[in-house]
Amino acid sequence: MRIRLPGSWNIIFLSALAVLFLFVVYPMSTIFKASLLDADTGDFTLGNYSMVLAVPFYRNCLFNSLFMSGAAMLFSVLIGVPFAFFTTRFKLPFANTLRTLGTLPLILPTFIGAEAWLLMLGRSGFVTRFFEEMGIHLPSIVGWHGVVLVFTLQFFPFVFLMVSAAINSVDRSLEESACNLGATPFRVFRTVTLPVVTPAIAAGGLIVFCMSIENFGVPTIIGGNYKVLAEQAYSEFISELGGNPSMAGSLSSVLVFITLALTMLQKFWVERKSYAMSALRPPEIRALPPLLTWAAFGYCALLVFLALAPFAVVLVASVTKTSGPVMYYGQFSLQNLKAALAVAPRPIINSFFLSTTATVVGMIFGMLVSYLIVRKRGLPAYVLDLAMMLPLVIAGSVMGIALAATYNSGPVVLTGTWMILVIAYFIRKTPFSVKTTSALLQQIDVSVEEASINLGVSPIRSFIKVVVPSMLPGIIAGGIIMWVTILAELSSTIVLYYGPWSTMTVQIFQYIGSGDFGPASAYGALLILSVLLPLFLLNRFFGKGISPSL
Amino acid sequence: MASISLDGLVKQFGNHVVVDCISLEIAEGELFTLLGPSGCGKTTLLRMLAGFALPNGGDILFAGKSVVRTPPHKRETGMVFQNYALFPHLTIFENVAYGLRARNIPQDETRERTYAILDAVHLGGMEDRYPRQLSGGQQQRVALARALVIRPQVLLMDEPLSNLDARLRVDMREEIRRIQKEFGITTVYVTHDQEEAMAISDRIAILSGGKLQQVGSPREVYFKPVNRFTAEFMGACTLLEVVPGGWSEGATGLIEHLPFFLDMEIPKSPPFTIMLRPDWIEEAGDDIDRNRFSGVVRESTFLGSSIFYEVEALGRRMRVDVSSNGRALSKRPGERIDLFFSPQRPVVVAP
């Protein structure tokens, strides 16, 4: 039986649905429609899709996208699964620190990672030059292998987090039982432990695949001539000479279909196979012989180092003397930071203003939507949930293209205003807030609220006085995640920003493009610090990692 | 099938002694229960038998051979876990066949034995299902079948019924008892429920604070508890302190300054404590004058065939169960009640 919504909740429900329709469903249908029309005549055609497969250039983009994402998925699994087992099942020195550091790459901007690898192993990277002086010619990092490297190092935490959560959700008795039935330790691992966490491995791998295929910055920066869908859709859209809106539409749609299909696979196949149980006693954390302990520790430490060192390189580069693409390592200079902070602070102010605005709007919206989804159930809530989570399968550049194309004419023109950036951020990142908040809300019993209403407080006031305070940790955690990921957002910003509303991410991207690694690193360093500081505070005051929110 | 001997078994976690020098003999084919409140060391004891916990001292022998150095996967015990620990990714057939496959038993024999044991626990036809498609009681049977199919030397059961609802619990314990007797397998059963322990066991060991309190048949531990802990743990009871001697002729001793007659051997060292179960105290008719005392009913609960009274008498509250005998009316709170007990009933318990 469904409880009838009280009046004011009905209004909130309909408004939320309207917002999601206007800024998600309608724009997406606009570009989907464009993909089905002939660019010149405006007739219905499937030609744009057949072009994706028929024209070698587009076909290559599709293939490259799939190949690069597949490789990133494979390598993330290969390095992430051992990392999860080592840090959750065995007594390692600094295991907690390794786990915390191991989740950080998720939150650090991928395109800055790509920049750092260029700084190290690009044509004039310092590692490349160091070896060149010794007469050794290193192959360039530019190309698909560079892209896969950056993705692997930044996305393996998805695999690590999902797998270690799965390990901890399996009761100790399962392995003991296998052992009791006569299985050797290796057999226990092969026949019980591994199969039970396999769904988590698959889920983590699929996330890595989706994150990789929709990533715009990394292949653009470090891919060289290796073109992928997310990048090409953007090029088709902005290209003033012979730009093709239908082609941008079909490339975008193909991208959305792929991520949507994988998300369905995850939802209806992997999730059904998941064996999470309410663990009474999580598995025992075992001590290994010293040699193995150090080997496992070395592996984890090396991985964390490889994933985080690039960001340290950017921090160093930001205080290094530069002229154009030439970096004078060892020569300290504040010129770039000064330039960024004093001479051209506008992008910094923009970044903070836009992300704060979008976060505040998103937190309030997310709070209301979580409540409706968790408490009201039934078909309307399900529809709202679907619409809310839809942006998760839409690549940032595609979302940007959809919004820009939809609102550049007609009764409401938003393209070319700062508001469209806020809308894009809000739409793309509110799902994070909804996830953290509804997870918490699910644990709060309905009767608490009913008690308040029973005592004569109106439903909305009861919500504010009783429910919101208990949701607060989730709202704040979700808000911080939103804020830092928006600061680091590049793919939809690059489509939607105009002149004065350039952000730090756009600046970094453009400076890298023009080879000015000094200013790029200065903005990059500021961005890294702005992302890490709130997370550090979150960890400090709420005592929990960022992991549950991702 | 094997007898089990525990010889001075000790287990400590840090400075905390969980199992304190326990020695026991469990006969072949016996269903032996470890009973006690949570934290009494019963589960730790069971895990030491399975090999999941290593004793700090003492020895464990199966059929006369020490097994403390045998790793758990070579110890040939079949364990039924509290949460069943069924492998969620395997079918019922694969779950039950797991131990046989680990032993490289030929495929034909594996199939044969698996089907046979599933029939024995009334789960024929369920082979291809997954654990989550089964009810709690069925999962319990799978866990039992999986432990039995490897023909272990001993069967270990860790609170196997605690996750089932009350009615199923009664059915299942009869089922476990039936299967255990059918296979004649030496079984160590852990529970904190004294009723369950009495219903299922050949013998019971009562543990508290890591120490063995009493070992005996269900009747022995219920009717003849050796100490206060066992007396109270095995069911409701009234403990009375008796001072030997008394002013009435032939009286054994005084309870709250009243003379009482006890037809039993009484300890030399005065004073001593006797125990009475609620149904050993009866309502006194006019013809009764020995061991008669009166009290005031504080609470009365009508339960159909019997009536529970909470009576204030002899300076304490005591529970008295009387048969309702078709009486529509029982005493109300505040009413006076005359009670007595037969001189043969009470037992002496150590403090």
Side-chain angles (χ1 to χ4, degrees), chain A residues 387-453:
Chain A
M388 189 71 244
M389 293 301 153
L390 193 59
L392 287 179
V393 305
I394 302 170
S397 48
V398 172
M399 193 75 234
I401 292 169
L403 283 171
T406 309
Y407 293 105
N408 68 349
S409 61
V412 189
V413 176
L414 294 171
T415 309
T417 69
W418 60 269
M419 280 177 295
I420 201 162
L421 283 167
V422 169
I423 290 167
Y425 295 156
F426 155 74
I427 286 298
R428 269 172 58 72
K429 305 299 179 185
T430 306
F432 291 114
S433 168
V434 173
K435 273 191 191 171
T436 52
T437 317
S438 50
L440 210 64
L441 192 58
Q442 248 143 15
Q443 296 163 10
I444 304 166
D445 203 85
V446 196
S447 56
V448 175
E449 207 181 326
E450 287 171 345
S452 166
I453 298 175

Side-chain angles (χ1 to χ4, degrees), chain A residues 69-94:
Chain A
S69 310
M73 172 172 81
L74 182 69
F75 288 119
S76 296
V77 166
L78 287 180
I79 66 170
V81 173
F83 188 86
F85 272 96
F86 291 158
T87 53
T88 36
R89 289 297 300 267
F90 300 114
K91 257 195 199 101
L92 292 190
F94 306 107

Side-chain angles (χ1 to χ4, degrees), chain A residues 171-185 187-193 195-196 272-275 277-278 280-281 284, chain B residues 47 50 52 72-74 76-79 81 83-90 95 98-104 130 132 146-147 150 156:
Chain A
D171 194 89
R172 188 183 298 190
S173 61
L174 220 54
E175 287 184 5
E176 285 178 352
S177 169
C179 178
N180 174 257
L181 292 168
T184 57
R187 197 187 171 93
V188 174
F189 178 79
R190 187 172 59 82
T191 58
V192 174
T193 316
V196 166
R272 222 169 29 134
K273 285 230 141 209
S274 132
Y275 307 116
M277 31 207 269
S278 48
L280 306 166
R281 292 174 310 141
E284 184 187 10
Chain B
R47 292 174 61 79
F52 294 125
H73 65 279
K74 299 223 171 109
E76 301 294 324
T77 62
M79 184 149 171
F81 290 80
N83 61 351
Y84 320 139
L86 299 183
F87 306 125
H89 60 297
L90 301 180
N95 260 283
Y98 188 92
L100 298 174
R101 287 179 174 164
R103 285 170 176 72
N104 294 317
Y130 283 90
R132 62 176 174 278
R146 188 178 67 176
I150 60 170
L156 307 174

Side-chain angles (χ1 to χ4, degrees), chain B residues 277-327:
Chain B
R277 295 284 176 208
D279 57 323
W280 299 354
I281 306 170
E282 297 164 72
E283 244 185 298
D286 295 336
D287 52 330
I288 304 287
D289 53 352
R290 275 202 166 179
N291 290 356
R292 187 185 179 109
F293 57 99
S294 67
V296 179
V297 174
R298 289 297 171 206
E299 275 171 47
S300 100
T301 313
F302 175 68
L303 283 175
S305 65
S306 56
I307 303 165
F308 287 3
Y309 289 122
E310 190 80 22
V311 177
E312 200 165 302
L314 299 175
R316 76 199 59 236
R317 282 197 170 212
M318 58 181 73
R319 201 172 104 191
V320 179
D321 295 359
V322 296
S323 162
S324 62
N325 272 337
R327 272 178 297 185

